[in-house]
Amino acid sequence: MMRSSIVKEGIERTPHRSLFKAMGYIDEEIRRPLIGIACAWNEIIPGHIHLRQIAEAVKAGVRMAGGTPIEFGVIGVCDGIAMGHEGMRYSLPSREIIADSIEIMAQAHRFDGLVLVGSCDKIIPGMLMAMARLDIPAILIAGGPMLPGKYRGKLIDFKNAYEAIGEYKTGKITLEELKEVEERACPTCGSCAGMFTANTMNCLAEALGVAPPGNGTIPAVYAERVRLAKYVGMLIVKLVEKSITPSKILTREAFLDAIAVDLALGGSTNTVLHLPAIAREAGVDLTLDDFDELSEKVPTLCKLSPAGPYFVLDLYEAGGVLAVMKELDKLGLIHKDRLTVTMKTVRELLEGVTVLRRDVIRSVENPWSPRGGIMILKGTLAPRGAVIKIGAIPEHLRYFEGTAKVFDCEEDAVKAILDGKIVPGNVVVIRYEGPKGGPGMREMLAATAAVAGMGLAESVALVTDGRFSGATRGLAIGHVSPEAAEGGPIAIVRDGDRIRIDLKNKKLDLLLPPEEIEKRLKEWKPPRPKISKGYLLRYSRAVSSADKGAVFQL
């Protein structure tokens, strides 16, 4: 019996069928499996501007396989456009709205299956959270990555537009050159061309097994992406027929494999928020310790922007996510007998897969680094943990000790950086930007890009209880827990305090005597909330700390 039977079968459902017929559905369509197409198309996100085409291809596939597609909308925030101002407070909180809205639509209308059509930073995690929560047959398909731009013979992407601001401020480029970077950094639709959060999560959806091979790497503008969407439409009908649900795919082993792929790719630190949040919905226990333990075993195989010169286009040409998994399997790091939405096991998907470009995906015998691209730090400044993208850190910066320059919001820090008030040897501390304190845990790309643009990327560190964009490079530490708004040690740091970052020992310490730290913590008083109404106020009251995935504590 189909799940949708309750809204369309029997004499009692005459009114329900009447409403379907008001929209033009005929009896043959109503009798078929009803497949919800959750599409995040909008005209504000480059990764979403083309999703109507992807959704139409999915619907064509559904119809070919004997199902009836029913499309509905999903909101989305463009992190790039929201970056650097109050709008970024809404990015991470939108993840929960996305998950909730998909749950509402699927449960209210009793869809037999779901195809989730999204692309960017919080949309994909929100969709995957809903998929895990609902546990009805579902597949994710993304819009695909943007192609890199070209500026005077050099390939560039979104991060270069930010870094160019600092370069202009320091006289390294002219206003005309700045404008040229603006025109060329983002040349096509799609999620920004580097291994930033959107592309990381789309690759990890493949690794989890809830998206088809190619989901993370086939460029947005390639016809292959449309063909993949048609295949997904056909596949979801088969999943409904065989009652294959996400709980059969999203196992603990799947999440561990996704972490391994993340570490090998040197992916965005935001995955440390999103994977635990998705795992929680799936009933799987996943902690920062899992990331930490695997980071010691998984080598860094790729140096994709912002950590290196390659882009997701290069990863596609090198064989994609499956090629990375094939390489990791040499070390026994992949659980090959688990199921995927293709109805094949990982073992079957890896058959015949080879690495096609060794400059992009290195072998496990010759990695960029013997450890993974993300590191969990703990210490007196971050008792419950903090996150750094170590794959983007040069070897000589693995130990850094500096003087704190403290700011209670991102805007003040960025102004100080661009005004030349930050000097080599400083540790820029940006606090009250966590999930509760922000509220919303804003990304600090404006700050890190300003540091890079001012030529300070290898002489200044940044530490925050907020987040860093996947486009971040340099000595940037985020997710400091407990956050300042919870009275964590980051709340009591003062200008001039010494901070030590020791990546060899995975430590982040405020260099004060324990009694001084204890004295300051006792004297600390929470500041007035930044937000006094609306969704962000409700969000700040319900959200957990970053080390728990910034999920609602309900």
Side-chain angles (χ1 to χ4, degrees), residues 197 200-201 204 262 267-276 291 374:
T197 305
T200 302
M201 287 306 304
L204 298 195
D262 188 17
S268 166
T269 54
N270 282 318
T271 57
V272 182
L273 286 174
H274 298 320
L275 286 178
F291 285 85
I374 290 175

Side-chain angles (χ1 to χ4, degrees), residues 18-41:
S18 178
L19 291 170
F20 275 100
K21 290 179 178 180
M23 295 178 282
Y25 292 100
I26 62 176
D27 288 331
E28 285 78 2
E29 289 177 294
I30 298 170
R31 281 197 291 267
R32 293 176 174 185
L34 302 185
I35 308 299
I37 313 295
C39 181
W41 172 86

Side-chain angles (χ1 to χ4, degrees), residues 12 56 105 180 232 248 307 326 352 358 364 372 389 411 415 442 480 509 520 530 545 547:
E12 296 81 1
E56 288 300 324
M105 292 297 287
E180 192 176 343
V232 163
K248 297 174 182 176
K326 182 84 169 190
R358 277 295 178 197
V364 293
K389 189 171 183 175
E411 289 84 353
K415 187 176 187 304
R442 291 192 290 177
V480 171
D509 288 309
R520 291 190 193 181
K530 296 175 183 175
S545 63
D547 62 302

Side-chain angles (χ1 to χ4, degrees), residues 45 62 95-96 115 119 172 240 257 275 334 343 394 434 543:
I45 308 179
V62 170
R95 186 187 71 180
E96 314 308 309
V115 177
S119 206
K172 294 177 183 176
V240 169
D257 287 0
L275 286 178
I334 300 298
M343 295 184 290
V543 73

Side-chain angles (χ1 to χ4, degrees), residues 288-297 371-372 374-388 390 398-399 477 500-509:
L288 294 186
D289 290 338
D290 291 310
F291 285 85
D292 195 45
E293 290 170 14
L294 275 169
S295 70
E296 298 294 341
K297 302 174 184 176
R371 59 159 297 129
I374 290 175
M375 179 181 282
I376 307 301
L377 307 178
K378 292 185 178 180
T380 56
L381 190 54
R384 295 212 306 259
V387 181
I388 187 168
I390 194 172
R398 301 300 169 97
Y399 182 95
I477 299 169
R500 181 169 61 214
I501 301 163
D502 182 356
L503 301 187
K504 180 179 179 182
N505 293 301
K506 297 190 283 191
K507 298 284 286 181
L508 175 63
D509 288 309

Side-chain angles (χ1 to χ4, degrees), residues 108 150 166 171 206 325 353 355 386 418 431 480 505 527:
K150 202 163 193 178
E206 270 192 65
M325 294 175 73
V353 171
V355 176
L418 294 177
R431 63 191 180 193
V480 171
N505 293 301

